[in-house]
Amino acid sequence: MIRLLKALLYGLLLVSPSELLARPNDRKSANEASLYSDTDNVIMLDIESLRPALSLRNSSKLVQFLNSFCGDCHRFAPIFKTLARDLYKWRRVLRIYAVDCAQERNAQLCREFNIRQTPSLRFIGPDMSKNDDVLGAVIPGQDPKFIRTTLAELVSQHDYGLQPNFRPLEPNGTGIFLDLQDEQSAVQFVALVLQPPNSKIGRDTLLELLPFQMLSVRIIENSQIFAQFGLNPSEQKLAIIDRNGTAQYLAPASDSSEAYASTVGDFLSNLHFRPDPPLPIAAAPNFTEFLDQQHQAILAKVLAPPLKVYRADLEQAIDKLLHIELRKWLLLEGNSLNALKNIIKIFRYLNPLNKDGKLLLTDLDKSLSSKQSVKGADFGDLVDSLEKDRRVFKARRYIGCIGSRPLLRSFTCSMWTLFHHLTVEAAKPPNYFQAGSVLKTFHGFAKYFFGCTDCSEHFQQMAIRRNLTSVSTYDEEILWLWAAHNEVNQRIAGDSTEDPKFPKTQFPSAQNCPSCRSNDSEWRTDEVLKYLKQLYDIKNVSFYGLPTPQGYD
């Protein structure tokens, strides 16, 4: 009895009465977890702050759109951090941002930028009004060398005021002295770099030397221009001119932008000029701050045997789908619209929500049934209008899908939990759907709406390899999803996305289901099936973290 009272008390403490009255304000909080920070030279923005940032003149922008629940985004993060920190030297011409599409407040923004795959990189020039595509240029792939090379080319195609200047100096280009003679200008030296045809050595030298505010690098394409500054014709390719108009050749160790930049840097350092300092080393994250008292209480509850499924996680999955994932498409029609309709119909009949939630999904299903196409924005408006004055989603945090570190488990865990639950509920009379319908709906979600590209592609490949369409009974459906989930666990075990408190082992464990394995550790699928039906049955789902069952509806 004491244990029961404690559990109910924890549940009541996790959701305050004020939280139940309306959807939470989805504005960024001061301690919101994110994959990046300013110390990475990546500024996290949202729908309110991105547009003002993109309108800044004299600076190009690189924006990474990500989903913080996406494993591929997590794996790309250290690569992108290293690249962004290295590109800190370019900050005079390039600002680096990131937007988390997993945040509800950013769903509209990510839809407007037509973000279907994450991580996704967009380059936007310094003057959006002059861009042919205001949504920016897509930079494909995750190879940092390719990204850097592509950025260098894109950055050099734009103007940034007087400095820096990527345009080659004209033969009569004595205008470089304007900066040198302007007492208000920080420029005290001009470096001339001879750039042969089909070479980018001048551009790359300019980029490498951007931290030297007192230096202007100008590209020349004709060695005769050196003579205009009093230098005798020679085989030299690099020269420097001071404020007095005194010019001299410099002799780099090799014909490379790194050697050119090093030579110019040494020249300036010998005159006691210093570049802007590099980005400070970021401090290691302190995960103990993340584990507040309430979080620790939930972790302790969830980690204690026996394993349970929590209604809060089922709610959170449907909540995030309706308010974020399903409304990101610009236009839904054909197969994508059919996938949406299937998801809503499955939810209508098998959902674990309260009375208001069931009415919401019923009305939503009816409203979509006759539509031949629907805009993502209109779908979002429809959900919001039907949800108005209904108290549907009372879960404010993940419970069974809680992570011991920021951004781990959460939405992907809740989606697996939800669809396991749906396969079990679909097997019960009156059997609203044919066997295999839940799997086909999950496949449609993964193909069209899951904001993690790598996860989506793997699931689609697995569906073909495991012959998803051949499932013909409800028991097969339950076991198919179980085996598929274990395959995913095996594939990503030991991955950087793995939560140390919740290792990716084969499920269920011997502790949770001793009868599910034979003596030689082979699965006994009849016992596994029995265990899954018991675990995911709506009658056994825990209300911990939500109001008590008596007051839930």
Side-chain angles (χ1 to χ4, degrees), residues 27-291:
R27 295 182 181 276
K28 184 175 181 179
S29 60
N31 59 349
E32 182 176 280
S34 60
L35 285 177
Y36 302 102
S37 69
D38 295 357
T39 57
D40 301 318
N41 191 33
V42 182
I43 300 174
M44 295 296 302
L45 299 180
D46 58 18
I47 190 168
E48 293 186 351
S49 54
L50 179 64
R51 291 187 179 91
L54 296 184
S55 65
L56 292 175
R57 298 294 185 94
N58 297 333
S59 181
S60 290
K61 300 92 184 174
L62 175 66
V63 185
Q64 182 191 160
F65 290 90
L66 60 96
N67 279 298
S68 53
F69 60 76
C70 167
D72 208 24
C73 295
H74 280 254
R75 287 183 283 273
F76 181 54
I79 298 172
F80 193 67
K81 287 180 181 181
T82 300
L83 174 66
R85 287 182 63 85
D86 184 49
L87 294 180
Y88 183 68
K89 65 170 70 79
W90 293 12
R91 63 192 179 279
R92 286 170 62 188
V93 294
L94 181 70
R95 305 289 178 90
I96 302 178
Y97 304 117
V99 174
D100 187 359
C101 294
Q103 298 292 344
E104 184 175 338
R105 64 180 178 274
N106 295 329
Q108 175 188 340
L109 181 64
C110 296
R111 180 177 63 244
E112 291 175 357
F113 276 82
N114 199 21
I115 303 300
R116 296 187 186 178
Q117 299 181 332
T118 58
S120 177
L121 297 179
R122 299 289 179 89
F123 173 87
I124 298 172
D127 189 350
M128 291 180 64
S129 64
K130 293 182 180 179
N131 289 350
D132 294 331
D133 181 5
V134 295
L135 300 185
V138 176
I139 301 179
Q142 299 181 20
D143 181 353
K145 291 183 179 180
F146 174 80
I147 295 171
R148 183 189 176 101
T149 301
T150 304
L151 280 174
E153 183 61 27
L154 292 170
V155 163
S156 66
Q157 294 173 4
H158 295 276
D159 292 328
Y160 303 91
L162 293 176
Q163 293 295 334
N165 191 338
F166 289 92
R167 294 189 304 274
L169 190 66
E170 297 296 329
N172 59 350
T174 54
I176 66 167
F177 288 110
L178 294 177
D179 275 339
L180 294 175
Q181 294 168 359
D182 183 359
E183 294 183 358
Q184 302 300 317
S185 172
V187 176
Q188 299 192 46
F189 298 90
V190 176
L192 301 180
V193 181
L194 179 63
Q195 180 167 277
N198 302 319
S199 170
K200 300 297 182 181
I201 193 169
R203 177 201 71 186
D204 294 342
T205 301
L206 188 159
L207 291 168
E208 284 294 313
L209 289 169
L210 282 174
F212 288 93
Q213 297 278 351
M214 74 296 302
L215 176 73
S216 170
V217 177
R218 296 306 307 270
I219 301 167
I220 62 174
E221 297 178 334
N222 187 336
S223 60
Q224 296 302 314
I225 294 179
F226 285 129
Q228 295 180 206
F229 302 100
L231 295 171
N232 294 324
S234 71
E235 298 297 320
Q236 300 293 330
K237 301 176 182 178
L238 177 65
I240 195 162
I241 308 167
D242 64 17
R243 272 186 177 271
N244 298 320
T246 303
Q248 60 180 298
Y249 284 119
L250 298 179
S254 64
D255 282 336
S256 68
S257 58
E258 293 82 4
Y260 283 23
S262 177
T263 300
V264 174
D266 289 344
F267 175 87
L268 295 173
S269 296
N270 289 334
L271 296 175
H272 307 294
F273 292 99
R274 298 287 182 265
D276 292 339
L279 196 64
I281 299 297
N286 184 358
F287 293 123
T288 58
E289 295 178 0
F290 174 68
L291 296 175

Side-chain angles (χ1 to χ4, degrees), residues 316-359:
Q316 284 280 76
I318 298 175
D319 187 346
K320 303 302 183 189
L321 274 172
L322 292 181
H323 296 99
I324 306 176
E325 298 302 303
L326 298 181
R327 55 176 75 185
K328 287 181 182 176
W329 275 60
L330 287 173
L331 178 67
L332 293 137
E333 57 185 352
N335 291 336
S336 60
L337 179 59
N338 288 334
L340 173 66
K341 289 180 177 180
N342 290 339
I343 291 170
I344 301 304
K345 189 169 291 293
I346 287 282
F347 286 175
R348 172 184 176 179
Y349 289 98
L350 303 178
N351 76 81
L353 302 180
N354 59 18
K355 291 178 181 177
D356 278 351
K358 295 180 189 301
L359 290 173

Side-chain angles (χ1 to χ4, degrees), residues 337-464:
L337 179 59
N338 288 334
L340 173 66
K341 289 180 177 180
N342 290 339
I343 291 170
I344 301 304
K345 189 169 291 293
I346 287 282
F347 286 175
R348 172 184 176 179
Y349 289 98
L350 303 178
N351 76 81
L353 302 180
N354 59 18
K355 291 178 181 177
D356 278 351
K358 295 180 189 301
L359 290 173
L360 166 65
L361 290 167
T362 298
D363 292 345
L364 192 55
D365 181 37
K366 291 178 179 178
S367 298
L368 290 174
S369 61
S370 61
K371 292 187 179 295
Q372 301 301 310
S373 66
V374 61
K375 294 180 180 179
D378 293 340
F379 173 76
D381 291 342
L382 177 61
V383 171
D384 294 343
S385 65
L386 294 175
E387 189 181 0
K388 188 177 181 181
D389 300 324
R390 286 172 169 164
R391 291 164 48 183
V392 177
F393 298 103
K394 302 180 181 182
R396 290 294 177 260
R397 56 184 56 79
Y398 296 100
I399 302 298
C401 289
I402 193 173
S404 66
R405 294 181 180 178
L407 306 177
L408 296 181
R409 305 185 77 227
S410 61
F411 178 65
T412 50
C413 167
S414 72
M415 285 304 302
W416 279 111
T417 305
L418 174 63
F419 275 92
H420 281 301
H421 166 74
L422 294 175
T423 61
V424 170
E425 292 300 301
K428 296 179 182 179
N431 302 122
Y432 291 109
F433 302 96
Q434 291 182 346
S437 297
V438 174
L439 289 182
K440 292 174 184 175
T441 300
F442 195 8
H443 181 269
F445 157 74
K447 183 175 182 178
Y448 295 106
F449 302 108
F450 196 16
C452 177
T453 307
D454 184 61
C455 306
S456 173
E457 291 175 351
H458 276 288
F459 187 87
Q460 293 179 66
Q461 293 165 7
M462 184 168 59
I464 296 171

